[in-house]
Amino acid sequence: MSGEHAPSTPVAEERASLLTPFNIVTGLIVLVGLILTVLRFTKGLAGVTNLSDNNPWGIWISFDLLCGVALAAGGYTTSAACYVFGMKRYHAAVRPAILTAFLGYALVVFALHYDVGRPWRLPYPIFYSPGPTSVLFEVGLCVFLYLIVLFLEWTPSALEWLRQKRWRNLMVRMTLALTIFGVVLSTMHQSSLGALFLIAPSKLHPLWYSSYLPVFFFISSIAAGLSMVIFEGTLSHRYLHDKMDAHYLEGHDQVALGFGRGAAIVLVVYFFLKLVGLALDNNWHYLLTGYGAMYAVELLGFVALPALLYAVGVREKNLKVIRWAAVLTVLGIVLNRFNVSWFAFNWHLPAAERYFPSWMEVAVSLYIVTVGLLIFRFIATRMPIFHEHPDFKETEPEEEEPHEHEPRPHPQSFGH
Amino acid sequence: MDFFTYHDFTMYTKGAAYLLMAATLLGILGFWLFLTERDEDKLIK
């Protein structure tokens, strides 16, 4: 453990604290996940999944990949806000957001192995048999490159932890270039994930099918990224509070307010664009069907409502409301990706032929999320993620002194 | 509503989309004013 603001736990206490409810539950999930991993790679997809020729993409694509990529968008939104748009007041949120995004993308690739199989052939689509006319190839290439970018963006924390000053300084100098590259790559693959479904106009329900799907996926990923930073910050604030220094705590509330404001605007734009999409395809009549009810729940309950809650929260400077809005937005993005790739996909098929995941598919997804959580905790408790390393301080001395959690006295400076 | 030609369809849908876009601009403007109206106020935790 490094950093004077992050006191280390004595070894004896650490050993005694191993048998906590958290460790027991996560240990069990990891154990089940490892057993299912062996089953998956020895018995094939049929051994653990309900996937079929009609439904070759299941919850591992809907949740692990589509939701994973969307919810990892906090990396590019935060670093773009801080380094490209010069909003340095959000600097404290960059490292947690980059770490979350890096782990999110790493786990997307990890989870893809369960779907695709034969992990030793992972480099094939990039180096051996690329299909440059395929949207999926573009997604694969972007995720491959962006994972490298995120790794490089995360390395300063690890290099500070390892006290490799020269390498750390070199990586810090590359920050702006990496951020711009990351934004470009994210813009491309976040939208391309939506473009993947353009090939299936007869399979995806008209309420969700639109030629604007790439735009919807990209814009909703911005709201997802901003909301995940607020959501993840809230959880970290609660469970990793002792790892945070005054600089991080001082910026925490500003991040929630500023990102809440940004998310409110993005959600409202997204809401109206979805309506324009409905109007251009003249799909209004579907709103009176069962799928229409589901669409209305998604659009009103998980886009319009969080937008309104964000606005009320920012207007009233009420962080609790903003945090609830962030939770709703994250759930809304999950619901949207599930609707596009699962619930409203193959909607013509009779109920008996529709896809429902086996418990083992759900358990593998849970296992992957748990692995991400454990790695996040491992890194955040050891490396300077929520605090500055004492040997590499960048903040001004006068900003370091107050240890109170009060925000700055001029909340209007939070705005854009 | 019945459409007999593609022209009818695009006239109708584009017309609706343009009206909606005008509403969008006004809606976003109103939302922005609502959002920023109380920027001077203090923070509630």
Side-chain angles (χ1 to χ4, degrees), chain A residues 102-217:
Chain A
F102 172 51
L103 292 179
Y105 274 86
L107 291 170
V108 162
V109 176
F110 180 62
L112 204 57
H113 286 312
Y114 286 79
D115 234 319
V116 179
R118 294 201 262 185
W120 56 91
R121 289 203 169 191
L122 182 69
Y124 271 45
I126 309 295
F127 299 110
Y128 185 73
S129 56
T133 54
S134 162
V135 177
L136 198 56
F137 170 75
E138 195 230 316
V139 172
L141 185 64
C142 282
V143 170
F144 164 69
L145 292 173
Y146 190 43
L147 188 57
I148 295 171
V149 167
L150 282 170
F151 172 74
L152 295 175
E153 284 186 299
W154 166 75
T155 48
S157 320
L159 292 170
E160 285 178 13
W161 182 54
L162 297 169
R163 290 190 164 78
Q164 298 292 322
K165 193 167 189 173
R166 185 194 292 177
W167 287 104
R168 179 262 183 197
N169 290 343
L170 177 71
M171 296 315 299
V172 168
R173 277 200 291 274
M174 290 169 64
T175 299
L176 182 62
L178 288 172
T179 301
I180 293 169
F181 197 34
V183 171
V184 171
L185 290 170
S186 295
T187 308
M188 289 167 71
H189 73 266
Q190 292 283 0
S191 55
S192 297
L193 282 172
L196 281 178
F197 294 89
L198 293 180
I199 204 170
S202 59
K203 290 188 176 182
L204 184 56
H205 192 280
L207 282 173
W208 284 274
Y209 184 87
S210 165
S211 52
Y212 292 97
L213 258 180
V215 180
F216 295 158
F217 264 55

Side-chain angles (χ1 to χ4, degrees), chain A residues 279-318:
Chain A
L280 282 173
D281 291 331
N282 195 34
N283 283 330
W284 301 105
H285 58 286
Y286 286 110
L287 289 174
L288 300 175
T289 64
Y291 278 104
M294 196 154 75
Y295 187 83
V297 167
E298 182 195 315
L299 205 58
L300 296 176
F302 293 95
V303 179
L305 179 62
L308 189 65
L309 285 179
Y310 268 132
V312 171
V314 170
R315 192 179 141 97
E316 307 286 335
K317 306 285 178 285
N318 191 328

